[in-house]
Amino acid sequence: MSELSRLTIAEARDRLRAGDFTATELTRACLDAIDGADALGSFVHKTPEIALDQAAAADARIQGGAENPMCGIPLGIKDLFCTQGVPSQAASHILEGFRPEYESTVTTRLWQAGAIMLGKLNMDEFAMGSSNETSCYGNAVNPWRRGNDDTALTPGGSSGGSAAAVAADLCLAATGTDTGGSIRQPAAFTGITGLKPTYGRVSRWGIVAFASSLDQAGPMTKTVRDAAIMLGAMAGHDPRDSTCADIPVPDFEAAITGDIRGRTIGIPREYRMDGMPAEIEKLWADGAEMLRDAGAKIADISLPHTRYALPTYYVIAPAEASSNLARYDGVRFGLRAGLAQGDGITEMYEKTRAEGFGPEVQRRIMIGTYVLSAGFYDAYYNRARKVRALIKRDFDEAFAAGVDAILTPATPSAAFGLGEMADADPVQMYLNDVFTVTVNLAGLPGISVPAGLDAQGLPLGLQLIGRPWEEGALLNIAQSLESAAGFDARPGVWW
């Protein structure tokens, strides 16, 4: 593997402008790495021709004095983002053959900044999953291994392909989306940085919807500084997305000063779950001590409605999914099931959706339809909406009391083996989101930072939750944690 593909965005930016190599050379190094890593299942639609054309354009811009830090940076794009003329299937059979005639706002902004698309990345079908095992393309595989054990591990989900590609140095960074932890959980499982911005900071236009009040796109990168750089290119008001906030986009990288003296970091007592592994508990305590040593004040806080977050999320998210996924019916785009003589429009809908959606998507559609039905709307969906407001109020009160950020574990464990949860109750899989769903329900920014290894040599992450619209301050605290943790481990190349 070329050393070029191992670079961070910040390193590549500086060296591209110094003339050490060209964007074309950097892109070719990534394309070679991708071609040698099919065993990871991370890239599902490779776009080398587009990449090299964009790289040539980036070289011309750099020679002309281009200042955008993303110019010449090769990226992987999660299959949930619509990319013009390139398959965009959301990892589902029901969108087989769909090639959009338009580009998502996020990818449009990245290409305008001079970034380069290497291809589309694997994910859980319609972003529904925590292990990247529901994809129509097959599993994405974590590049990490447990010691000398050859068991294939999950890279997490739903942005598992993005996490695996960044961790394996196939690209310098990738886009992800986060509905209940789908950026932060896979980032923690693969030893990279994953940032979920404030809801409304980044446009959702052109991103295949799962749960519209929860979905948010963000960067998946090798460092906190890279996350700041990439977020600056992705963020900004979009009149085509009514939920996208019309507020200025600050210089997130400039906010990283390394000075967090006087900042107050909250430690929520409700996140100390029964049965939490000792390694996670210790990592959390060590992280708090690192921030204290950097000059922050550590304060115990209470978020009393945390216990209701997971059931609230798994009412609201499927309800919104059942509504969003009603558009996939075989009429306008994607899969249309074969019909028998005499079948009508209803049979076409039923057969197309039965063949096109996988089991997990079908399960969530059924749950969502149930909680929205006439007899259960008030008992489930309306009640969940009210509890969501209480969860948000808990955070508002903590921030109003002077807390600048909140430190929690990112996941309840390190990466588990692919197939190990196959026979488990679905609720066991949903518990992977126990530390992350509150952030989506409250619309807050959150970031996962790699902070250590477990006894089997697998990465573990810590999560920082910030005040709304204050990603710069959050990134600065995350940078302090990253520096103190000194995480520099890499997976051994076995693929």
Side-chain angles (χ1 to χ4, degrees):
M1 180 182 293
S2 167
E3 290 299 315
L4 292 183
S5 69
R6 293 178 177 267
L7 295 174
T8 66
I9 292 174
E11 290 167 345
R13 169 192 62 186
D14 295 344
R15 293 183 62 185
L16 281 166
R17 279 145 190 77
D20 292 351
F21 49 80
T22 66
T24 299
E25 290 169 332
L26 178 58
T27 300
R28 288 191 184 280
C30 290
L31 291 172
D32 289 344
I34 291 165
D35 284 341
D38 287 344
L40 294 176
S42 54
F43 275 86
V44 292
H45 298 292
K46 301 175 186 178
T47 57
E49 297 85 2
I50 293 173
L52 292 171
D53 286 347
Q54 290 177 330
D59 282 328
R61 288 175 63 173
I62 291 168
Q63 289 171 9
E67 296 183 358
N68 194 298
M70 289 299 295
C71 190
I73 303 299
L75 305 175
I77 304 298
K78 186 177 180 178
D79 196 39
L80 209 64
F81 292 77
C82 288
T83 44
Q84 187 173 9
V86 177
S88 305
Q89 288 185 225
S92 180
H93 282 303
I94 208 162
L95 278 173
E96 204 165 304
F98 177 55
R99 293 173 181 260
E101 293 300 318
Y102 55 90
E103 191 84 26
S104 77
T105 296
V106 166
T107 50
T108 296
R109 287 182 171 151
L110 289 169
W111 311 151
Q112 288 172 346
I116 294 159
M117 179 169 72
L118 298 167
K120 303 298 284 292
L121 294 163
N122 207 345
M123 55 176 282
D124 280 297
E125 184 181 7
F126 282 104
M128 298 181 194
S130 300
S131 61
N132 216 133
E133 293 176 280
T134 68
S135 170
C136 72
Y137 306 117
N139 300 337
V141 181
N142 196 323
W144 290 81
R145 287 286 187 261
R146 298 172 179 145
N148 296 320
D149 188 341
D150 289 335
T151 301
L153 304 177
T154 175
S158 66
S159 305
S162 298
V166 176
D169 295 315
L170 308 186
C171 52
L172 273 61
T175 61
T177 62
D178 194 309
T179 306
S182 290
I183 286 175
R184 290 159 289 150
Q185 183 248 24
F189 276 5
T190 56
I192 67 169
T193 297
L195 172 65
K196 175 225 170 282
T198 308
Y199 181 79
R201 173 65 85 180
V202 177
S203 173
R204 295 184 300 107
W205 194 87
I207 301 173
V208 178
F210 167 9
S212 300
S213 74
L214 301 166
D215 298 344
Q216 187 62 188
M220 302 184 73
T221 59
K222 299 176 184 180
T223 67
V224 171
R225 183 171 297 277
D226 283 4
I229 295 169
M230 189 168 168
L231 178 61
M234 295 172 67
H237 177 58
D238 180 5
R240 294 177 296 185
D241 176 3
S242 62
T243 64
C244 191
D246 188 4
I247 59 175
V249 177
D251 186 337
F252 297 114
E253 187 182 11
I256 299 176
T257 64
D259 184 2
I260 64 167
R261 288 173 294 178
R263 296 288 186 179
T264 298
I265 310 299
I267 307 294
R269 62 181 67 103
E270 289 80 9
Y271 280 59
R272 289 190 168 88
M273 307 291 184
D274 291 339
M276 181 187 290
E279 288 175 320
I280 301 291
E281 186 78 50
K282 183 179 185 303
L283 183 79
W284 192 11
D286 290 347
E289 195 60 34
M290 291 174 197
L291 294 174
R292 181 184 283 111
D293 290 344
K297 176 185 175 184
I298 305 300
D300 286 330
I301 64 170
S302 178
L303 300 172
H305 293 93
T306 296
R307 72 179 72 178
Y308 306 115
L310 211 57
T312 297
Y313 174 84
Y314 279 102
V315 169
I316 291 174
E320 294 186 13
S322 73
S323 177
N324 278 323
L325 272 60
R327 72 193 69 178
Y328 304 110
D329 53 17
V331 175
R332 290 153 292 182
F333 46 77
L335 177 74
R336 178 180 294 183
L339 302 178
Q341 187 173 1
D343 281 349
I345 189 74
T346 301
E347 287 78 15
M348 186 189 75
Y349 291 161
E350 291 172 347
K351 289 182 178 180
T352 296
R353 290 168 69 81
E355 292 179 21
F357 291 137
E360 182 61 31
V361 174
Q362 291 183 22
R363 177 185 293 117
R364 298 200 195 191
I365 289 173
M366 293 298 291
I367 292 170
T369 304
Y370 177 82
V371 301
L372 289 175
S373 60
F376 300 99
Y377 183 89
D378 285 331
Y380 292 102
Y381 184 69
N382 238 359
R383 184 173 296 181
R385 288 175 57 241
K386 292 174 183 176
V387 176
R388 179 181 188 173
L390 295 174
I391 292 168
K392 183 179 185 302
R393 190 179 70 184
D394 289 346
F395 283 104
D396 290 343
E397 290 175 350
F399 293 134
V403 170
D404 294 295
I406 295 167
L407 178 71
T408 79
T411 59
S413 70
F416 50 88
L418 289 166
E420 285 183 1
M421 302 282 279
D423 298 324
D425 185 312
V427 174
Q428 291 298 115
M429 185 70 84
Y430 297 164
L431 288 172
N432 275 284
D433 302 329
V434 66
F435 298 127
T436 53
V437 296
T438 53
V439 178
N440 300 79
L441 290 168
L444 300 172
I447 187 169
S448 175
V449 178
L453 299 172
D454 74 355
Q456 300 180 93
L458 297 180
L460 298 171
L462 287 172
Q463 174 181 232
L464 283 161
I465 303 168
R467 295 170 177 261
W469 312 113
E470 295 188 14
E471 288 89 353
L474 177 66
L475 286 158
N476 188 41
I477 296 169
Q479 170 70 40
S480 180
L481 181 63
E482 177 185 74
S483 297
F487 185 91
D488 59 1
R490 291 178 180 268
V493 178
W494 53 265
W495 56 90

